[in-house]
Amino acid sequence: MTTGSTLAAAGSLLTPQMRWLLFVLLTFAGILNLVDRQIISVLKPEMAAELGWTDEDYGALGAWFQGAMALGLLFAGPLVDRIGVRWANPLGVFTWSLAAMAHGLAHTIPQFILCRVGLGATEAMGTPSMIKTVATILPPDVRSTGFGVINAVNSLGAISAPVLIPVMAGALGWRGTFLVAGLAGVVWTVCWLIVTRKTPLDAPPTPAAQPDAPRRPILKDRSTWAIAGAKFLSDATWWLLLFWMPDLMHRQFGVSGVALGGFVALAYTGAAAGSLISGTLATALMSRGLPVDRVRKGIMLGSGLLVLVLPATLVAPNAWAAAGILALVLAAHQGFSTNLFALITDVTPTDKVGRVTSFGAFCGNIGGMGIVWAAGKVLTMGLGYGPLLVFAGSSYLLALGWIQLWLPKITPLADRQPAPVNLGH
């Protein structure tokens, strides 16, 4: 039995109830992840006023966060593959929760940089753990839907953050908000360890030959580079909006604090809808016999075309219209992202999913680091959001072109024929 098959078999031993309980816990971990990283974005006006931050300071904090996450991803993927999802999930959530709480003790820019570096490095465990967990507990025919649901529910973190964080800050202060958010992650860690203490979740690797997963470095696979380049381009837009969208709405329309919550929540409601629609659509189309290549690239193409409207945000007549445009863009992003995540499990053996996911996410965070840093520079120079949104609007079509270059035809592992064995004469 191959390593990938062994892991899949371990997941098949789960009862349906346990399978979905783990799935629910996994989605809540994603919510906590987004809330922890969004606190500083939502409370930026208040924190900047108290601490004297400039736009360049804020951009630097974002860049340090992205850089630390990018570097952390190079280690997170191999670690997830090595220790398995039973331990990788609680390790990630617990450590990033401690890093989130540390923000409440910081006072100076260097101290906040250390906190953002710690948060970014530990949150690097989130994506490879999630992808590998889904690949372990869900069968291939429903993984697209699973990724869609996870992305949609995770968007609740982004939706609830602009609503709940200002309320929490009003009652506890911004320092108390970081502490409470971190404590929620500690509670999650305890719950996961209790639920999985006797669960057949991971299986040890076997040394058997793997005709469907040749033992070679992931960087020699064309699919790895297809995924990495697409993540670099598409994630840059996601990180730009995640980090700078509250500031964009404040600059363009003068909304901030509690008043900002409804507009940003509308935008992330679009992200949730895009995740659900794209995930279920992909599953439905493939269940009708459409090839994976056509389904994945077709949904990505449609998503890329929708994102082209992003620069129109700057000429929207009011804040609600701008939030509606952002909702459409984030829906399209999640449509693209959901199918890109599923593509990883389509073409990657299960025992390599953590590493391929991490490398792709590393490249995505390098793209995010670059654009978040560039945004601070561009805004400081007085050029506004125009150049940033024009690039972001075209990034998804560029990403699809990159995928087509490296993977002219997507062939899932299950459809590949093993190479004939030459026994000689």
Side-chain angles (χ1 to χ4, degrees):
M1 181 180 293
T2 68
T3 305
S5 300
T6 304
L7 286 170
S12 69
L13 296 175
L14 300 171
T15 65
Q17 294 81 2
M18 179 59 69
R19 191 186 305 276
W20 293 110
L21 176 58
L22 293 173
F23 186 81
V24 169
L25 282 173
L26 194 64
T27 61
F28 273 105
I31 292 175
L32 293 173
N33 185 294
L34 282 169
V35 168
D36 286 344
R37 72 177 60 163
Q38 278 286 80
I39 293 174
I40 198 170
S41 176
V42 174
L43 299 182
K44 184 248 185 182
E46 292 84 353
M47 295 177 69
E50 177 181 333
L51 300 170
W53 292 348
T54 65
D55 287 332
E56 192 165 355
D57 290 333
Y58 185 64
L61 290 175
W64 277 104
F65 173 84
Q66 295 299 143
M69 178 175 282
L71 183 61
L73 282 163
L74 294 179
F75 300 93
L79 180 60
V80 170
D81 281 339
R82 181 177 180 83
I83 68 176
V85 297
R86 180 201 300 273
W87 296 108
N89 283 294
L91 177 62
V93 175
F94 182 73
T95 54
W96 84 52
S97 296
L98 293 182
M101 288 190 283
H103 285 67
L105 305 176
H107 292 82
T108 66
I109 285 293
Q111 290 172 350
F112 273 101
I113 287 175
L114 288 175
C115 292
R116 298 311 283 178
V117 167
L119 187 64
T122 51
E123 284 196 352
M125 291 286 288
T127 299
S129 296
M130 183 270 286
I131 300 295
K132 192 175 182 73
T133 303
V134 170
T136 301
I137 68 176
L138 296 184
D141 58 339
V142 297
R143 286 176 189 165
S144 292
T145 300
F147 287 124
V149 171
I150 284 180
N151 277 345
V153 176
N154 286 354
S155 294
L156 293 176
I159 293 170
S160 61
V163 177
L164 296 179
I165 289 174
V167 175
M168 292 175 60
L172 305 172
W174 62 263
R175 297 185 185 278
T177 302
F178 278 111
L179 294 174
V180 170
L183 286 173
V186 175
V187 172
W188 185 96
T189 301
V190 173
C191 291
W192 176 274
L193 292 175
I194 291 174
V195 168
T196 63
R197 68 188 186 282
K198 295 182 179 180
T199 302
L201 194 55
D202 292 306
T206 66
Q210 300 184 48
D212 63 328
R215 289 186 179 277
R216 60 177 181 173
I218 61 170
L219 297 184
K220 290 187 177 181
D221 289 330
R222 294 181 65 86
S223 58
T224 298
W225 290 105
I227 291 161
K231 290 289 287 181
F232 177 87
L233 290 164
S234 61
D235 280 14
T237 297
W238 172 256
W239 287 111
L240 174 69
L241 295 180
L242 187 68
F243 200 76
W244 285 99
M245 183 164 55
D247 184 71
L248 170 63
M249 297 296 292
H250 177 66
R251 286 173 184 262
Q252 293 293 120
F253 304 101
V255 292
S256 62
V258 176
L260 180 67
F263 301 107
V264 177
L266 173 60
Y268 282 107
T269 299
S275 299
L276 288 174
I277 292 170
S278 63
T280 54
L281 177 61
T283 296
L285 292 175
M286 286 188 286
S287 70
R288 295 182 181 181
L290 270 70
V292 171
D293 182 77
R294 186 181 303 176
V295 172
R296 298 283 182 238
K297 292 177 181 176
I299 294 177
M300 289 179 179
L301 175 61
S303 300
L305 292 173
L306 289 175
V307 178
L308 290 174
V309 305
L310 180 56
T313 306
L314 299 178
V315 294
N318 53 59
W320 286 112
I325 294 171
L326 292 170
L328 178 63
V329 168
L330 291 182
H333 166 84
Q334 293 291 50
F336 194 99
S337 179
T338 294
N339 281 272
L340 187 55
F341 280 146
L343 174 61
I344 296 173
T345 63
D346 289 336
V347 300
T348 307
T350 309
D351 62 312
K352 295 183 178 181
V353 165
R355 281 166 284 169
V356 172
T357 301
S358 272
F359 183 69
F362 163 78
C363 294
N365 276 268
I366 290 295
M369 177 182 177
I371 201 166
V372 166
W373 175 83
K377 293 290 187 181
V378 169
L379 293 172
T380 298
M381 293 169 62
L383 299 178
Y385 278 98
L388 299 166
L389 299 189
V390 168
F391 165 78
S394 62
S395 62
Y396 295 83
L397 293 180
L398 293 173
L400 178 57
W402 179 263
I403 291 173
Q404 182 64 25
L405 177 66
W406 287 90
L407 291 178
K409 183 177 181 180
I410 298 170
T411 304
L413 289 174
D415 296 342
R416 299 179 190 175
Q417 297 296 324
V421 178
N422 184 0
L423 299 177
H425 299 287

